Amino acid sequence: MAAIVPPNPEPQAVSQRVTIHELVKWLRADGLIGEEQVGPIFSEAGRAPGDQHPLVTIANIKARSAVPPNRILSIDVLSEWLARRAGLEYVRIDPLKIDFTRIAEVMSSAYASRFRILPIEVGKTDVVIATAEPFLTEWVPELERILHKTVRRVVANPLDVIRYTAEFFSLARSVKGAAARGGAQPQNSFEQLVELGNVKSAGRQFDSNDAHIVQIVDWLWQYAFDQRASDIHLEPRRDHGVVRFRIDGVLHQVYQVPGGVLSAMTSRIKLLGRMDVVEKRRPQDGRIKTLTANREEVELRLSTLPTAFGEKLVMRIFDPDVIVKDFGQLGFSDEDAKRWNALTARPYGIILVTGPTGSGKTTTLYSTLKLLATEEVNVCTIEDPIEMVENSFNQMQVQSNIDLNFADGLRALMRQDPDIIMVGEIRDLETAEMAVQAALTGHLVFSTLHTNDAPSAITRMLELGVPAYLLNATVLGVLAQRLVRLLCPHCKVPAPALDPELWKQLIAPWKSAQPGAIYKPVGCLECRMTGYRGRTGIYELLEMSGEIKKRISTAPNIDAVRQQALQDGMKPLRLSGALKIAGGQTTIEEVLRATPSVDDGV
């Protein structure tokens, strides 16, 4: 949660709710609205439900503030203004930072709804309570007497208070009900606590279809979608279970739940993913397609792993919209996009995409194939596993249990009259040889490698055993990529000028004028105080020129290939990142974190 410290409070004689008349009077006194806006506000109030908060009524007319910068008087702007009037802090409730099981111990849902309050932080000696009624205080002494703790009031958006009061107390009841039915110990732990004369069991087995578990899983998914999470981690610990989200490449702990509840959640998700619910000793994969609150399809790829304290589950969230993005949205510069389109328009050959796991390779390949997959073209893929199901492709999955690997799958695809083939990854010589053979027989082949940069992909193929003359005959180019976090546009501020020597090292061996202004992260309500919101790609595109082919044939080492690629115009990953720093999109810390130095090798 993020707080805004207010100035002077508005004197209030008695404990009472705010009214529409008082709010209009204060808004006019502060110069936020004019006389012409009073009529529409009272007209809206006449149509509003009787229990609607007056701030919501005023926000619904979408009036623009008369005070520069003339912001629209949204519910958040009005709530922040009311907090200043009351002399309290304004807080944007962040569910990721709230332990919903503890807040349910402070008060009942009915009590919270009655006074429009919500506990958001419970300490040893105090409790922070968000309120939508800053002048209604009769509950404070009563609650302090019951809890034996000091109450600190803050103001929050009334819509958030209403929403999260319903969600948190409902979720807390579900967790409590599930734990009461099934015990609180994780299932199938490798550890076992043995007491004298007795064995402490793991409790009764949960029903994964129990209404409480169903509600917890549904809420977890919906909240992950709302928070733009790319992965959901369910991790068993010794005494409890942990739920974590990966947002913009960074993991955030969300909740702690009883171990048995986490086990039941895992079983519920495995059941929906058509996985073997009983088998907990070996890793499994699965997938689920579901809908967001906006009725948009989202696909989740499931992966389980047996750990010391139970079964760990990771869900990777795939938004189908990512494969309809253009290359500018992915982070390609105009020049790189033009070169990439020219490369992928070739009729046959091999195009490699490199980078570590989570660097956006799949998104780049799917976006490219989506553009190439016209009605006149047969696009076939062999993947491990299929990341996203796409109607435009013919997709096949590797299945090691029946000895269907990349090489065998590629051999089968060759008999399916393909025009374009995508191989999920080249891992061994057999797969590399089949990819080369496919390219030699007139197919355009896309694949991935795990190398630090583009030149390293050439030497990796040589190390696998592919002859230099075959590489020269088939490989068209290599794209290396990384993802860096984007600065939040709402809170970024100018930063001190870069050290000239650091800038030179960043763009070496190229030369470019140092940017006049760069930016740094601050943190605000929009980015959850991280200073970053979203990610973009940085790219390094190597095209196989005649000179590079000569170097591969005569002196096949990575330094020779890299030097020639730079001479041919390849812009290194760090230079691509430097251009985004100069454009105010990211920071030098992000670029240095995400990119290898020239000396890092393969």
Side-chain angles (χ1 to χ4, degrees), residues 363-414:
T363 301
T364 299
L365 284 174
Y366 272 60
S367 298
T368 302
L369 292 176
K370 181 72 173 178
L371 292 176
L372 298 175
T374 62
E375 292 183 357
E376 296 81 19
V377 174
N378 178 17
V379 178
C380 297
T381 74
I382 173 72
E383 306 172 60
D384 184 22
I386 295 173
E387 301 278 12
M388 289 176 277
V389 177
E390 169 53 43
N391 291 332
S392 306
F393 314 154
N394 300 293
Q395 298 170 280
M396 178 169 59
Q397 181 165 311
V398 166
Q399 299 189 54
S400 56
N401 57 325
I402 56 173
D403 295 325
L404 176 60
N405 55 29
F406 278 118
D408 293 332
L410 186 51
R411 192 175 290 110
L413 289 182
M414 291 281 286

Short mmCIF file of all heavy atoms in Angstrom, two decimals, residues 363-414:
data_model
loop_
_atom_site.label_atom_id
_atom_site.label_comp_id
_atom_site.label_asym_id
_atom_site.label_seq_id
_atom_site.Cartn_x
_atom_site.Cartn_y
_atom_site.Cartn_z
N THR A 363 7.69 -15.37 -27.48
CA THR A 363 6.81 -14.29 -27.95
C THR A 363 7.28 -13.78 -29.31
O THR A 363 6.47 -13.54 -30.21
CB THR A 363 6.79 -13.14 -26.93
OG1 THR A 363 6.31 -13.63 -25.68
CG2 THR A 363 5.90 -12.01 -27.39
N THR A 364 8.60 -13.60 -29.48
CA THR A 364 9.13 -13.13 -30.76
C THR A 364 8.83 -14.13 -31.87
O THR A 364 8.38 -13.76 -32.96
CB THR A 364 10.65 -12.90 -30.65
OG1 THR A 364 10.91 -11.90 -29.66
CG2 THR A 364 11.23 -12.45 -31.98
N LEU A 365 9.07 -15.42 -31.61
CA LEU A 365 8.83 -16.44 -32.63
C LEU A 365 7.35 -16.57 -32.98
O LEU A 365 6.98 -16.65 -34.16
CB LEU A 365 9.38 -17.79 -32.16
CG LEU A 365 10.90 -17.95 -32.21
CD1 LEU A 365 11.32 -19.26 -31.57
CD2 LEU A 365 11.39 -17.89 -33.66
N TYR A 366 6.48 -16.57 -31.97
CA TYR A 366 5.06 -16.70 -32.24
C TYR A 366 4.53 -15.49 -33.01
O TYR A 366 3.70 -15.62 -33.91
CB TYR A 366 4.28 -16.88 -30.93
CG TYR A 366 4.15 -18.30 -30.48
CD1 TYR A 366 5.27 -19.06 -30.20
CD2 TYR A 366 2.91 -18.89 -30.31
CE1 TYR A 366 5.16 -20.37 -29.77
CE2 TYR A 366 2.78 -20.21 -29.88
CZ TYR A 366 3.93 -20.94 -29.61
OH TYR A 366 3.81 -22.24 -29.19
N SER A 367 5.00 -14.29 -32.64
CA SER A 367 4.57 -13.08 -33.35
C SER A 367 5.02 -13.13 -34.80
O SER A 367 4.28 -12.73 -35.71
CB SER A 367 5.13 -11.83 -32.66
OG SER A 367 4.66 -11.71 -31.34
N THR A 368 6.23 -13.65 -35.03
CA THR A 368 6.75 -13.76 -36.40
C THR A 368 5.96 -14.79 -37.20
O THR A 368 5.54 -14.55 -38.34
CB THR A 368 8.23 -14.15 -36.37
OG1 THR A 368 8.96 -13.15 -35.63
CG2 THR A 368 8.80 -14.24 -37.77
N LEU A 369 5.75 -15.97 -36.61
CA LEU A 369 5.02 -17.03 -37.31
C LEU A 369 3.58 -16.62 -37.59
O LEU A 369 3.00 -17.00 -38.62
CB LEU A 369 5.06 -18.32 -36.49
CG LEU A 369 6.42 -19.00 -36.34
CD1 LEU A 369 6.31 -20.20 -35.42
CD2 LEU A 369 6.98 -19.42 -37.70
N LYS A 370 2.99 -15.88 -36.68
CA LYS A 370 1.61 -15.42 -36.89
C LYS A 370 1.50 -14.56 -38.14
O LYS A 370 0.52 -14.66 -38.90
CB LYS A 370 1.16 -14.63 -35.66
CG LYS A 370 -0.27 -14.10 -35.73
CD LYS A 370 -1.29 -15.21 -35.59
CE LYS A 370 -2.70 -14.64 -35.48
NZ LYS A 370 -3.72 -15.70 -35.39
N LEU A 371 2.52 -13.73 -38.39
CA LEU A 371 2.52 -12.90 -39.59
C LEU A 371 2.77 -13.72 -40.84
O LEU A 371 2.25 -13.42 -41.92
CB LEU A 371 3.59 -11.81 -39.46
CG LEU A 371 3.34 -10.72 -38.41
CD1 LEU A 371 4.54 -9.78 -38.34
CD2 LEU A 371 2.07 -9.94 -38.72
N LEU A 372 3.59 -14.77 -40.72
CA LEU A 372 3.95 -15.59 -41.88
C LEU A 372 2.90 -16.64 -42.22
O LEU A 372 2.85 -17.13 -43.35
CB LEU A 372 5.29 -16.28 -41.64
CG LEU A 372 6.50 -15.37 -41.43
CD1 LEU A 372 7.73 -16.20 -41.10
CD2 LEU A 372 6.76 -14.51 -42.67
N ALA A 373 2.04 -16.98 -41.25
CA ALA A 373 1.10 -18.09 -41.43
C ALA A 373 -0.15 -17.64 -42.19
O ALA A 373 -1.23 -17.50 -41.63
CB ALA A 373 0.71 -18.68 -40.07
N THR A 374 0.01 -17.44 -43.48
CA THR A 374 -1.13 -17.11 -44.33
C THR A 374 -1.79 -18.40 -44.82
O THR A 374 -1.32 -19.50 -44.55
CB THR A 374 -0.67 -16.26 -45.54
OG1 THR A 374 0.25 -17.05 -46.32
CG2 THR A 374 0.02 -14.99 -45.07
N GLU A 375 -2.88 -18.24 -45.58
CA GLU A 375 -3.59 -19.42 -46.08
C GLU A 375 -2.76 -20.20 -47.09
O GLU A 375 -3.02 -21.39 -47.32
CB GLU A 375 -4.92 -18.99 -46.73
CG GLU A 375 -5.93 -18.44 -45.73
CD GLU A 375 -7.24 -18.09 -46.39
OE1 GLU A 375 -7.33 -18.22 -47.64
OE2 GLU A 375 -8.18 -17.70 -45.68
N GLU A 376 -1.77 -19.56 -47.71
CA GLU A 376 -0.95 -20.23 -48.71
C GLU A 376 0.26 -20.93 -48.12
O GLU A 376 1.06 -21.53 -48.85
CB GLU A 376 -0.47 -19.21 -49.76
CG GLU A 376 -1.57 -18.56 -50.58
CD GLU A 376 -2.24 -17.42 -49.84
OE1 GLU A 376 -1.62 -16.90 -48.88
OE2 GLU A 376 -3.37 -17.06 -50.20
N VAL A 377 0.43 -20.83 -46.80
CA VAL A 377 1.65 -21.34 -46.17
C VAL A 377 1.29 -22.37 -45.11
O VAL A 377 0.34 -22.20 -44.33
CB VAL A 377 2.45 -20.18 -45.52
CG1 VAL A 377 3.63 -20.72 -44.74
CG2 VAL A 377 2.93 -19.20 -46.58
N ASN A 378 2.05 -23.46 -45.08
CA ASN A 378 1.88 -24.51 -44.07
C ASN A 378 2.96 -24.34 -42.99
O ASN A 378 4.13 -24.59 -43.24
CB ASN A 378 1.98 -25.89 -44.72
CG ASN A 378 1.86 -27.02 -43.71
OD1 ASN A 378 1.39 -26.82 -42.58
ND2 ASN A 378 2.28 -28.21 -44.10
N VAL A 379 2.54 -23.90 -41.80
CA VAL A 379 3.47 -23.69 -40.68
C VAL A 379 3.31 -24.83 -39.70
O VAL A 379 2.21 -25.10 -39.20
CB VAL A 379 3.21 -22.35 -39.97
CG1 VAL A 379 4.14 -22.18 -38.78
CG2 VAL A 379 3.38 -21.19 -40.94
N CYS A 380 4.42 -25.54 -39.41
CA CYS A 380 4.41 -26.67 -38.47
C CYS A 380 5.43 -26.40 -37.37
O CYS A 380 6.52 -25.88 -37.63
CB CYS A 380 4.74 -27.98 -39.18
SG CYS A 380 3.56 -28.46 -40.45
N THR A 381 5.10 -26.79 -36.14
CA THR A 381 6.02 -26.60 -35.02
C THR A 381 6.19 -27.89 -34.25
O THR A 381 5.27 -28.71 -34.19
CB THR A 381 5.53 -25.49 -34.06
OG1 THR A 381 4.43 -25.99 -33.28
CG2 THR A 381 5.10 -24.25 -34.80
N ILE A 382 7.36 -28.06 -33.64
CA ILE A 382 7.62 -29.14 -32.68
C ILE A 382 8.16 -28.46 -31.43
O ILE A 382 9.20 -27.80 -31.49
CB ILE A 382 8.58 -30.20 -33.25
CG1 ILE A 382 8.98 -31.21 -32.18
CG2 ILE A 382 9.80 -29.59 -33.91
CD1 ILE A 382 7.92 -32.17 -31.78
N GLU A 383 7.45 -28.59 -30.30
CA GLU A 383 7.77 -27.82 -29.10
C GLU A 383 7.81 -28.71 -27.87
O GLU A 383 7.23 -29.79 -27.85
CB GLU A 383 6.74 -26.70 -28.90
CG GLU A 383 6.56 -25.79 -30.10
CD GLU A 383 5.40 -24.83 -29.93
OE1 GLU A 383 5.43 -24.04 -28.97
OE2 GLU A 383 4.47 -24.86 -30.75
N ASP A 384 8.46 -28.22 -26.83
CA ASP A 384 8.55 -28.94 -25.56
C ASP A 384 8.48 -27.96 -24.39
O ASP A 384 9.51 -27.47 -23.95
CB ASP A 384 9.85 -29.75 -25.50
CG ASP A 384 9.94 -30.59 -24.22
OD1 ASP A 384 8.86 -30.88 -23.64
OD2 ASP A 384 11.06 -30.93 -23.82
N PRO A 385 7.28 -27.72 -23.85
CA PRO A 385 5.97 -28.12 -24.35
C PRO A 385 5.44 -27.06 -25.31
O PRO A 385 6.11 -26.06 -25.57
CB PRO A 385 5.13 -28.15 -23.07
CG PRO A 385 5.70 -27.03 -22.25
CD PRO A 385 7.19 -27.03 -22.54
N ILE A 386 4.20 -27.27 -25.82
CA ILE A 386 3.55 -26.24 -26.63
C ILE A 386 3.24 -25.07 -25.71
O ILE A 386 2.52 -25.22 -24.72
CB ILE A 386 2.26 -26.78 -27.27
CG1 ILE A 386 2.59 -27.89 -28.27
CG2 ILE A 386 1.48 -25.66 -27.94
CD1 ILE A 386 1.37 -28.59 -28.84
N GLU A 387 3.83 -23.92 -26.01
CA GLU A 387 3.67 -22.76 -25.12
C GLU A 387 2.25 -22.20 -25.20
O GLU A 387 1.58 -22.01 -24.20
CB GLU A 387 4.69 -21.67 -25.48
CG GLU A 387 6.14 -22.11 -25.38
CD GLU A 387 6.67 -22.06 -23.96
OE1 GLU A 387 5.87 -21.91 -23.03
OE2 GLU A 387 7.89 -22.18 -23.79
N MET A 388 1.83 -21.86 -26.42
CA MET A 388 0.50 -21.32 -26.64
C MET A 388 -0.12 -22.01 -27.83
O MET A 388 0.54 -22.18 -28.86
CB MET A 388 0.55 -19.81 -26.90
CG MET A 388 0.91 -18.98 -25.68
SD MET A 388 1.08 -17.22 -26.06
CE MET A 388 2.77 -17.18 -26.69
N VAL A 389 -1.36 -22.42 -27.69
CA VAL A 389 -2.06 -23.07 -28.79
C VAL A 389 -2.55 -22.00 -29.75
O VAL A 389 -3.25 -21.07 -29.35
CB VAL A 389 -3.23 -23.92 -28.28
CG1 VAL A 389 -3.99 -24.55 -29.44
CG2 VAL A 389 -2.73 -25.00 -27.32
N GLU A 390 -2.16 -22.13 -31.03
CA GLU A 390 -2.51 -21.13 -32.04
C GLU A 390 -3.15 -21.83 -33.24
O GLU A 390 -2.60 -22.78 -33.79
CB GLU A 390 -1.25 -20.37 -32.47
CG GLU A 390 -1.39 -19.49 -33.69
CD GLU A 390 -2.55 -18.51 -33.57
OE1 GLU A 390 -2.73 -17.90 -32.50
OE2 GLU A 390 -3.27 -18.34 -34.58
N ASN A 391 -4.32 -21.34 -33.64
CA ASN A 391 -5.08 -21.98 -34.72
C ASN A 391 -4.36 -21.93 -36.06
O ASN A 391 -4.62 -22.76 -36.94
CB ASN A 391 -6.45 -21.31 -34.87
CG ASN A 391 -7.37 -21.60 -33.70
OD1 ASN A 391 -7.25 -22.63 -33.06
ND2 ASN A 391 -8.27 -20.68 -33.40
N SER A 392 -3.46 -20.96 -36.24
CA SER A 392 -2.80 -20.80 -37.54
C SER A 392 -1.68 -21.80 -37.77
O SER A 392 -1.17 -21.92 -38.88
CB SER A 392 -2.24 -19.38 -37.66
OG SER A 392 -3.23 -18.42 -37.43
N PHE A 393 -1.24 -22.51 -36.70
CA PHE A 393 -0.11 -23.43 -36.80
C PHE A 393 -0.58 -24.87 -36.64
O PHE A 393 -1.63 -25.14 -36.06
CB PHE A 393 0.95 -23.17 -35.72
CG PHE A 393 1.31 -21.73 -35.51
CD1 PHE A 393 1.81 -21.31 -34.27
CD2 PHE A 393 1.20 -20.79 -36.51
CE1 PHE A 393 2.16 -20.00 -34.06
CE2 PHE A 393 1.55 -19.47 -36.31
CZ PHE A 393 2.02 -19.06 -35.08
N ASN A 394 0.26 -25.78 -37.13
CA ASN A 394 0.11 -27.20 -36.82
C ASN A 394 1.18 -27.53 -35.78
O ASN A 394 2.36 -27.60 -36.09
CB ASN A 394 0.31 -28.05 -38.08
CG ASN A 394 -0.69 -27.71 -39.15
OD1 ASN A 394 -1.88 -27.96 -39.00
ND2 ASN A 394 -0.22 -27.12 -40.25
N GLN A 395 0.75 -27.70 -34.53
CA GLN A 395 1.69 -27.81 -33.42
C GLN A 395 1.77 -29.24 -32.90
O GLN A 395 0.75 -29.90 -32.70
CB GLN A 395 1.29 -26.86 -32.29
CG GLN A 395 1.32 -25.39 -32.71
CD GLN A 395 0.68 -24.48 -31.67
OE1 GLN A 395 -0.53 -24.36 -31.59
NE2 GLN A 395 1.52 -23.85 -30.86
N MET A 396 3.00 -29.70 -32.66
CA MET A 396 3.24 -31.03 -32.11
C MET A 396 4.12 -30.89 -30.88
O MET A 396 5.03 -30.05 -30.85
CB MET A 396 3.91 -31.92 -33.16
CG MET A 396 4.25 -33.33 -32.64
SD MET A 396 4.75 -34.45 -33.97
CE MET A 396 6.16 -33.62 -34.64
N GLN A 397 3.86 -31.70 -29.87
CA GLN A 397 4.62 -31.62 -28.63
C GLN A 397 5.55 -32.82 -28.47
O GLN A 397 5.19 -33.95 -28.78
CB GLN A 397 3.67 -31.55 -27.43
CG GLN A 397 4.39 -31.45 -26.09
CD GLN A 397 3.45 -31.01 -24.97
OE1 GLN A 397 2.72 -30.04 -25.10
NE2 GLN A 397 3.48 -31.72 -23.86
N VAL A 398 6.76 -32.53 -27.99
CA VAL A 398 7.71 -33.59 -27.66
C VAL A 398 7.13 -34.45 -26.54
O VAL A 398 6.56 -33.93 -25.58
CB VAL A 398 9.06 -32.97 -27.21
CG1 VAL A 398 9.94 -34.01 -26.55
CG2 VAL A 398 9.77 -32.35 -28.40
N GLN A 399 7.26 -35.77 -26.66
CA GLN A 399 6.78 -36.68 -25.62
C GLN A 399 7.86 -37.74 -25.39
O GLN A 399 7.94 -38.73 -26.12
CB GLN A 399 5.45 -37.32 -26.03
CG GLN A 399 4.34 -36.31 -26.24
CD GLN A 399 2.99 -36.97 -26.43
OE1 GLN A 399 2.55 -37.79 -25.60
NE2 GLN A 399 2.33 -36.64 -27.52
N SER A 400 8.67 -37.50 -24.39
CA SER A 400 9.81 -38.37 -24.13
C SER A 400 9.38 -39.76 -23.69
O SER A 400 10.12 -40.74 -23.87
CB SER A 400 10.72 -37.75 -23.06
OG SER A 400 9.98 -37.47 -21.89
N ASN A 401 8.18 -39.88 -23.10
CA ASN A 401 7.74 -41.19 -22.61
C ASN A 401 7.49 -42.17 -23.75
O ASN A 401 7.44 -43.39 -23.54
CB ASN A 401 6.48 -41.04 -21.75
CG ASN A 401 5.33 -40.37 -22.49
OD1 ASN A 401 5.56 -39.49 -23.30
ND2 ASN A 401 4.11 -40.78 -22.18
N ILE A 402 7.30 -41.68 -24.97
CA ILE A 402 7.13 -42.57 -26.13
C ILE A 402 8.25 -42.33 -27.15
O ILE A 402 8.09 -42.60 -28.34
CB ILE A 402 5.75 -42.38 -26.80
CG1 ILE A 402 5.53 -40.92 -27.22
CG2 ILE A 402 4.63 -42.83 -25.88
CD1 ILE A 402 4.27 -40.71 -28.04
N ASP A 403 9.37 -41.78 -26.64
CA ASP A 403 10.57 -41.57 -27.47
C ASP A 403 10.31 -40.65 -28.67
O ASP A 403 10.88 -40.85 -29.74
CB ASP A 403 11.14 -42.91 -27.96
CG ASP A 403 11.64 -43.77 -26.81
OD1 ASP A 403 12.16 -43.17 -25.84
OD2 ASP A 403 11.51 -45.00 -26.87
N LEU A 404 9.44 -39.65 -28.47
CA LEU A 404 9.23 -38.65 -29.50
C LEU A 404 10.01 -37.40 -29.10
O LEU A 404 9.55 -36.62 -28.27
CB LEU A 404 7.74 -38.32 -29.65
CG LEU A 404 7.39 -37.20 -30.65
CD1 LEU A 404 7.87 -37.54 -32.05
CD2 LEU A 404 5.89 -36.92 -30.65
N ASN A 405 11.22 -37.25 -29.65
CA ASN A 405 12.05 -36.10 -29.32
C ASN A 405 12.02 -35.09 -30.47
O ASN A 405 11.30 -35.25 -31.45
CB ASN A 405 13.48 -36.54 -28.99
CG ASN A 405 14.09 -37.37 -30.13
OD1 ASN A 405 13.74 -37.19 -31.30
ND2 ASN A 405 14.99 -38.28 -29.78
N PHE A 406 12.85 -34.03 -30.33
CA PHE A 406 12.85 -33.00 -31.36
C PHE A 406 13.27 -33.56 -32.72
O PHE A 406 12.67 -33.24 -33.75
CB PHE A 406 13.80 -31.87 -30.96
CG PHE A 406 13.20 -30.87 -30.01
CD1 PHE A 406 13.73 -30.69 -28.75
CD2 PHE A 406 12.11 -30.11 -30.39
CE1 PHE A 406 13.17 -29.77 -27.87
CE2 PHE A 406 11.54 -29.19 -29.52
CZ PHE A 406 12.07 -29.02 -28.25
N ALA A 407 14.31 -34.40 -32.74
CA ALA A 407 14.80 -34.93 -34.02
C ALA A 407 13.76 -35.80 -34.70
O ALA A 407 13.51 -35.68 -35.91
CB ALA A 407 16.09 -35.72 -33.79
N ASP A 408 13.11 -36.70 -33.91
CA ASP A 408 12.09 -37.56 -34.49
C ASP A 408 10.88 -36.75 -34.96
O ASP A 408 10.30 -37.03 -36.01
CB ASP A 408 11.64 -38.61 -33.46
CG ASP A 408 12.75 -39.60 -33.13
OD1 ASP A 408 13.60 -39.83 -34.02
OD2 ASP A 408 12.77 -40.11 -32.00
N GLY A 409 10.50 -35.75 -34.15
CA GLY A 409 9.37 -34.91 -34.54
C GLY A 409 9.66 -34.12 -35.80
O GLY A 409 8.80 -33.99 -36.68
N LEU A 410 10.88 -33.60 -35.90
CA LEU A 410 11.27 -32.85 -37.09
C LEU A 410 11.31 -33.76 -38.32
O LEU A 410 10.91 -33.37 -39.43
CB LEU A 410 12.63 -32.20 -36.85
CG LEU A 410 13.17 -31.25 -37.91
CD1 LEU A 410 12.14 -30.19 -38.28
CD2 LEU A 410 14.45 -30.58 -37.42
N ARG A 411 11.75 -34.99 -38.12
CA ARG A 411 11.78 -35.96 -39.22
C ARG A 411 10.36 -36.24 -39.72
O ARG A 411 10.11 -36.35 -40.94
CB ARG A 411 12.46 -37.24 -38.74
CG ARG A 411 12.81 -38.22 -39.85
CD ARG A 411 13.59 -39.40 -39.31
NE ARG A 411 14.95 -39.02 -38.90
CZ ARG A 411 15.36 -38.97 -37.63
NH1 ARG A 411 14.52 -39.27 -36.64
NH2 ARG A 411 16.60 -38.61 -37.34
N ALA A 412 9.40 -36.30 -38.77
CA ALA A 412 8.01 -36.54 -39.15
C ALA A 412 7.42 -35.31 -39.85
O ALA A 412 6.66 -35.44 -40.83
CB ALA A 412 7.18 -36.90 -37.92
N LEU A 413 7.77 -34.13 -39.35
CA LEU A 413 7.25 -32.91 -39.97
C LEU A 413 7.71 -32.75 -41.40
O LEU A 413 7.00 -32.18 -42.24
CB LEU A 413 7.69 -31.67 -39.15
CG LEU A 413 7.02 -31.46 -37.78
CD1 LEU A 413 7.53 -30.18 -37.15
CD2 LEU A 413 5.51 -31.41 -37.91
N MET A 414 8.89 -33.25 -41.70
CA MET A 414 9.43 -33.13 -43.06
C MET A 414 8.54 -33.85 -44.08
O MET A 414 8.55 -33.52 -45.26
CB MET A 414 10.84 -33.71 -43.11
CG MET A 414 11.86 -32.89 -42.35
SD MET A 414 12.37 -31.47 -43.30
CE MET A 414 13.40 -32.27 -44.52
#
